[in-house]
DNA sequence: TCCTGCTATGCAACTCGTTGCATAAACAAG
DNA sequence: CTTGTTTATGCAACGAGTTGCATAGCAGGA
């Protein structure tokens, strides 16, 4: 399980509430890990009862109070232990690829609009990542001499950018193939 | 859920037993979907009781009997229906990226060996995919005029190859970054 | 005033996926 | 002749992840 460790990393970078974590998982953490707010709240409960994180009730004006979590010493120890364990190289789950191979037994051309929709979504993601990179790492407001944490965040973001670029190129390949199959088949 | 649909596609390409499906999921299907044999057997049971697939007991010599499954008409209909439904663009789960960002709070250099291990695994995967591509699509024994099914299998395989190449380049970027952080930090 | 939307948290039920274990037939190696 | 490996199937228990729903404070607009 890596969700608890992803939460530890995120809280070490910046303490926050379950709600804030959920939004980070939609944004920066989203390009290598996803989680819904229900999952996050449940895991936060467990981590708190295990003593991995501390809570602080924070009253707010103009919005409901929140519980701000921060990493406690046992949480740091648990993260460190996990960092030194080997993990399995990840394996992909790509539903669209299942559909593409399945299209051989249906109408390949009917898939074009779906692939174009995915292409649009990946175009948007790439634009978001590039905007984030300019804002935090390569733009004029970025730190001139980044520390280790920023270097590591940047290299992970470059991975997200590379993934989106690769995916866009592949989706173009898929579209070419589907178009070729249209008239000739 | 796409596992049942991945199984339908695989059985349409070639009928087979649960065991054979499990091995296909380790091989060709593995670069866009994974499943263990327990999962496959359970889903096959459900698909059979739903009338999506037919079973045939096949006695074998020199090894235990097997149940060969093939797609029935309702299964084809179900697949076709699913193919015309939109799906969410996939989201990634990359544990290694969590570790890389976590390394900022531990020892970045300690991660180098783990990253190198992953690099080796992706090198092996790429070699397997390229060998499969030569065997089935670009080598001398490949069909000169591939049909739609083969074209679609090939474009999905090209996606797997592109993914592995992109990942290898990124892991090199990660290794460079970790090495840079070593002496200077 | 009511409705919508955002922040903020949570329960309950369910499905999906993993892990550990078990069985059994056949062959190959020692 | 016992042990290990490959093929082949399966159960039981657990943990991870999703979906639907509920609550509640406050803001802004119709």
């Amino acid at each position: 399980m890596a969700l608890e460790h992803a939460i530890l990393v995120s809280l070490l970078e910046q303490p926050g509430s379950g709600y804030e974590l959920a939004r980070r998982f939609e944004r920066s953490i989203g390009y290598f890990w996803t989680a819904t707010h229900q999952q996050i709240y449940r895991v936060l409960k467990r981590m708190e009862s295990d003593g991995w994180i501390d809570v602080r009730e924070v009253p707010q004006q103009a919005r409901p109070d929140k519980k701000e979590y921060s990493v406690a010493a046992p949480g740091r120890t648990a993260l460190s232990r996990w960092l030194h364990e080997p993990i399995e190289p990840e394996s992909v789950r790509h539903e669209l690829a299942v559909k593409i191979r399945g299209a051989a037994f249906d109408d390949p051309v009917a898939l074009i609009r779906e692939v174009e929709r995915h292409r649009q979504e990946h175009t948007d993601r790439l634009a978001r990542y590039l905007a984030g990179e300019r804002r935090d790492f390569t733009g004029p407001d970025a730190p001139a001499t980044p520390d280790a944490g920023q270097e590591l965040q940047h290299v992970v973001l470059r991975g997200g950018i590379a993934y989106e670029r690769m995916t866009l190129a592949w989706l173009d390949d898929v579209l070419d193939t589907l178009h070729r199959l249209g008239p000739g088949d």
Side-chain angles (χ1 to χ4, degrees), chain A:
Chain A
M1 224 286 262
L3 176 55
E4 34 202 342
H5 302 106
I7 289 176
L8 285 174
V9 171
S10 192
L11 289 180
L12 280 169
E13 288 173 356
Q14 174 81 45
S17 69
Y19 190 83
E20 284 162 350
L21 283 168
R23 289 204 301 171
R24 287 183 215 169
F25 273 82
E26 279 168 16
R27 291 178 65 262
S28 76
I29 307 181
Y31 48 83
F32 60 91
W33 206 266
T34 53
T36 60
H37 78 272
Q38 291 88 343
Q39 230 182 311
I40 291 167
Y41 282 122
R42 196 199 297 154
V43 173
L44 281 173
K45 275 259 156 75
R46 189 175 62 223
M47 291 168 76
E48 195 204 329
S49 76
D50 290 349
W52 287 18
I53 51 178
D54 294 323
V55 204
R56 198 168 59 95
E57 287 274 346
V58 178
Q60 302 185 110
Q61 73 276 38
R63 57 185 67 176
D65 297 354
K66 66 174 179 179
K67 296 182 187 174
E68 195 184 75
Y69 293 93
S70 52
V71 179
R76 261 195 104 113
T77 310
L79 178 64
S80 186
R81 201 185 321 117
W82 176 73
L83 285 172
H84 289 271
E85 278 167 20
I87 50 171
E88 285 298 298
E90 87 293 346
S91 42
V92 186
R93 287 269 167 100
H94 210 306
E95 241 179 315
L96 188 62
V98 180
K99 282 202 171 190
I100 291 165
R101 267 172 79 154
F105 307 99
D106 200 77
D107 179 15
V109 178
L111 212 62
I112 289 175
R113 294 193 55 183
E114 175 80 350
V115 175
E116 281 170 345
R117 207 169 53 80
H118 284 243
R119 197 188 182 289
Q120 185 56 54
E121 169 64 28
H122 285 283
T123 304
D124 295 347
R125 285 189 199 174
L126 176 59
R128 278 205 308 281
Y129 296 174
L130 287 172
E133 187 183 38
R134 266 190 306 277
R135 186 185 62 242
D136 296 333
F137 303 113
T138 59
D141 295 341
T145 52
D147 62 25
Q150 287 161 335
E151 290 273 19
L152 291 169
Q153 284 185 34
H154 191 189
V155 79
V156 170
L157 175 54
R158 288 200 296 273
I161 290 168
Y163 177 81
E164 296 303 328
R165 287 199 166 125
M166 181 277 300
T167 301
L168 282 171
W170 177 62
L171 290 176
D172 286 337
D173 187 6
V174 171
L175 286 171
D176 280 354
T177 305
L178 291 174
H179 280 123
R180 254 190 298 114
L181 291 177
D185 201 45

